[in-house]
Amino acid sequence: MENIVSLAISLAYILLVLGLATLVARIQGGRSEYSRKLVHILVGNWVFITPFFTSLWAVALVPFTFIIVNALSIRFHFFKAMTREHENLGTVYYAFSMFALSSAAYLLGWKELAFIGLLTMAYGDGFASLVGGRWGKHHPFSFAREKSLEGSITVAVAAFLVTLACIALIPELHSDLKTTFYSWQYGDSVSMRIFIAESILIALATGIFAAFVELTGKHGCDNLSVPIATGLFASLLLRYGSIGMTLYLLVALAILIYAFRKSAITADGIVAAELTAATLYAFSSIWVAGSLLLFFVAGSMVSKISNSRKRKGESRQADTGARNWKQVLCNSLPACVALWVSHFSQNTNTAALICFSVFAAACADTFSSEIGMLSSGKVLNLINLKSVPNGTSGGVTLLGVAAGIVGSALLAIPSAGQYGIRGFFFVLVLGFFGTLIDSALGSTIQQRFADSRGELMDAPAYPRQRATVGIAYASNNAVNMLTLIVICISAYFLKGLVIP
């Protein structure tokens, strides 16, 4: 009965919001930014109804319905008060964020995941557009010239206040912040001061992070990235935060900012990397968390080594610039998923071994590719051993093979701190095995295009060119992720060689 009542209240509330927005639009003489932002801000308040649902299907039904309704509205303009004349998928992303966060919050029991994420999107992102449009005079962000400093401050303040409110109103977060709620009642002034200080620092970090994520969002994607990234970041800090985690994230951020200034990573890549770092530290050991930083630093360094042969080889490849969020996720998502699954199944020791193997394989592939292209020797297709041009996916050189072994050995070093010498050799072998898998997949299933001479290359020779060989849309990023998934599975089934 509670679910039916909550669904009825949800429907009534959404209809009320749409009615108000339609009225505002008519007063404004048709479509207006004010009516759109009214919907954007008020719809987010639906999250206050979610605690009254008692079943997953019920809490997910409302946002799932609006994913479909919003998609149809973009096509047929059902709700003109909430659409632009040239609409992107922002409203669909908004509904999907509501669906993903409310469902995840219900399953995990993390109320703050939905509240912080969705309310930051509603109030922060909603008011940022209005504030920036009216008072935005400063545009200091080179990667987001259309965004204003005033709008970013609005996002940060909203996320800061929402996070503080959640800390104050969600009791289970108090013990997670290392200070019990009961200490307030018993007048423990020291514990109260610690609690307040921790709360403010976490809220401040969340606000700054949310503002940065909003800056990276393009074409309505901030309705997806801001709530999910902010909710996840804040939840990890609130439930697993410590002095060690804070220092680690600051070190990671410093490295990422330096890499950004050197054009080694994009702004959205920083968001993905910082979330990955938070996940690794929260759910695993310092050895695993450190391996991520080691991989990023080592990979970035070898990527900068160049000569004429490598530059020619890179001209045949796609996505050779700074690492973006897709590349970061394709190299880290399998490890993060393994940690999430293992954390809630109480099997973190196995997950750590999987993570070491994944990063060793990713590093081996990076070393093999980046250093291998420097070679003046023959480049052979790993499958048929025929000669191919330098830079062709699936091609290997003796120098590249040797570099792959070095890269895998480098990332195997942290595993020795947790698993000893047996773990080191396990990760080294599996990591090098990963670069061979990547080359095999690159020469078979990865999409490649023919140039004017009929030679294969990763990047299309002209717009809308169809792949000559391989599977359409199977890019290098997709091959990397598939390779690391194979390494995850292999490490899981072979873990007995290291873990008794």
Side-chain angles (χ1 to χ4, degrees):
M1 187 62 183
E2 293 92 340
N3 291 321
I4 302 301
V5 172
S6 298
L7 286 171
I9 295 173
S10 298
L11 178 61
Y13 178 71
I14 297 297
L15 291 176
L16 175 63
V17 170
L18 292 177
L20 289 174
T22 302
L23 179 61
V24 170
R26 288 182 178 178
I27 294 173
Q28 295 288 323
R31 285 190 185 94
S32 76
E33 190 67 13
Y34 291 106
S35 65
R36 289 188 67 259
K37 289 305 175 183
L38 182 65
V39 174
H40 185 100
I41 293 168
L42 293 182
V43 165
N45 290 327
W46 171 80
V47 73
F48 290 108
I49 303 175
T50 57
F52 298 100
F53 288 100
T54 59
S55 298
L56 177 61
W57 69 266
V59 76
L61 180 61
V62 174
F64 181 77
T65 300
F66 273 91
I67 292 175
I68 299 173
V69 171
N70 288 344
L72 293 175
S73 180
I74 291 174
R75 175 67 177 84
F76 299 106
H77 303 291
F78 293 151
F79 306 112
K80 293 184 178 181
M82 56 181 285
T83 59
R84 288 191 177 101
E85 187 173 353
H86 302 288
E87 186 62 275
N88 53 39
L89 293 175
T91 56
V92 176
Y93 296 150
Y94 193 121
F96 182 83
S97 294
M98 295 174 66
F99 170 77
L101 290 178
S102 59
S103 300
Y106 180 89
L107 289 171
L108 299 174
W110 294 6
K111 295 178 182 178
E112 77 284 355
L113 179 62
F115 276 88
I116 294 176
L118 295 180
L119 293 179
T120 295
M121 174 176 64
Y123 296 121
D125 187 45
F127 282 112
S129 178
L130 299 176
V131 170
R134 186 176 179 86
W135 295 288
K137 303 297 183 182
H138 304 88
H139 299 266
F141 310 109
S142 60
F143 57 90
R145 290 297 186 188
E146 73 283 4
K147 303 290 180 72
S148 69
L149 177 62
E150 291 80 2
S152 295
I153 292 174
T154 302
V155 176
V157 170
F160 175 81
L161 294 176
V162 166
T163 304
L164 279 184
C166 285
I167 293 172
L169 298 175
I170 300 177
E172 56 261 35
L173 293 180
H174 303 153
S175 59
D176 289 321
L177 286 172
K178 309 297 185 294
T179 306
T180 65
F181 180 68
Y182 299 105
S183 65
W184 288 19
Q185 295 178 316
Y186 293 118
D188 188 341
S189 60
V190 175
S191 295
M192 184 172 69
R193 286 196 294 269
I194 294 174
F195 179 84
I196 293 173
E198 284 186 297
S199 300
I200 291 174
L201 286 174
I202 290 175
L204 183 62
T206 301
I208 295 172
F209 182 76
F212 186 80
V213 175
E214 196 273 337
L215 286 171
T216 66
K218 309 290 184 183
H219 310 299
C221 290
D222 50 352
N223 285 347
L224 194 64
S225 60
V226 169
I228 292 177
T230 303
L232 179 57
F233 182 79
S235 296
L236 291 174
L237 286 182
L238 287 168
R239 293 183 177 272
Y240 305 99
S242 63
I243 294 176
M245 183 175 185
T246 302
L247 293 174
Y248 170 75
L249 291 178
L250 287 175
V251 170
L253 181 60
I255 293 173
L256 292 169
I257 291 175
Y258 179 79
F260 177 77
R261 293 173 65 88
K262 294 296 183 180
S263 301
I265 193 168
T266 62
D268 53 21
I270 291 177
V271 174
E274 194 73 359
L275 278 176
T276 298
T279 300
L280 292 178
Y281 196 99
F283 292 155
S284 191
S285 65
I286 185 60
W287 296 108
V288 173
S291 67
L292 172 68
L293 301 185
L294 180 59
F295 163 56
F296 180 78
V297 171
S300 298
M301 289 176 64
V302 299
S303 296
K304 294 298 182 180
I305 303 173
S306 185
N307 62 15
S308 58
R309 289 184 294 273
K310 183 177 180 180
R311 287 190 291 272
K312 184 177 180 180
E314 286 177 334
S315 67
R316 311 184 65 80
Q317 297 184 330
D319 300 323
T320 57
R323 287 187 177 92
N324 57 32
W325 69 271
K326 294 179 183 179
Q327 292 167 306
V328 172
L329 285 186
C330 285
N331 283 290
S332 63
L333 188 60
C336 289
V337 170
L339 282 176
W340 274 92
V341 172
S342 66
H343 178 75
F344 293 101
S345 62
Q346 305 299 316
N347 193 14
T348 55
N349 198 29
T350 298
L353 185 63
I354 292 174
C355 289
F356 287 128
S357 302
V358 165
F359 291 130
C363 190
D365 178 59
T366 300
F367 272 51
S368 180
S369 176
E370 297 292 342
I371 296 179
M373 283 191 290
L374 299 171
S375 175
S376 59
K378 281 189 175 182
V379 183
L380 302 178
N381 183 297
L382 184 64
I383 299 300
N384 56 30
L385 299 182
K386 291 183 179 179
S387 180
V388 294
N390 190 25
T392 303
S393 288
V396 297
T397 64
L398 288 178
L399 179 62
V401 170
I405 296 174
V406 172
S408 184
L410 179 64
L411 264 291
I413 292 174
S415 67
Q418 188 163 343
Y419 297 102
I421 191 66
R422 183 180 297 181
F424 171 83
F425 282 107
F426 178 91
V427 172
L428 189 157
V429 172
L430 205 55
F432 176 67
F433 179 58
T435 194
L436 297 180
I437 296 174
D438 188 271
S439 295
L441 294 177
S443 64
T444 53
I445 70 170
Q446 183 174 331
Q447 64 175 7
R448 283 165 293 161
F449 308 87
D451 62 13
S452 57
R453 295 175 296 180
E455 295 180 338
L456 297 177
M457 54 192 294
D458 293 354
Y462 53 85
R464 298 184 181 180
Q465 182 184 13
R466 292 188 177 183
T468 305
V469 297
I471 300 174
Y473 304 108
S475 64
N476 183 62
N477 288 334
V479 167
N480 287 343
M481 179 172 282
L482 182 57
T483 297
L484 298 181
I485 290 173
V486 172
I487 293 300
C488 280
I489 296 172
S490 301
Y492 177 80
F493 283 105
L494 296 174
K495 64 182 184 295
L497 296 175
V498 176
I499 304 173

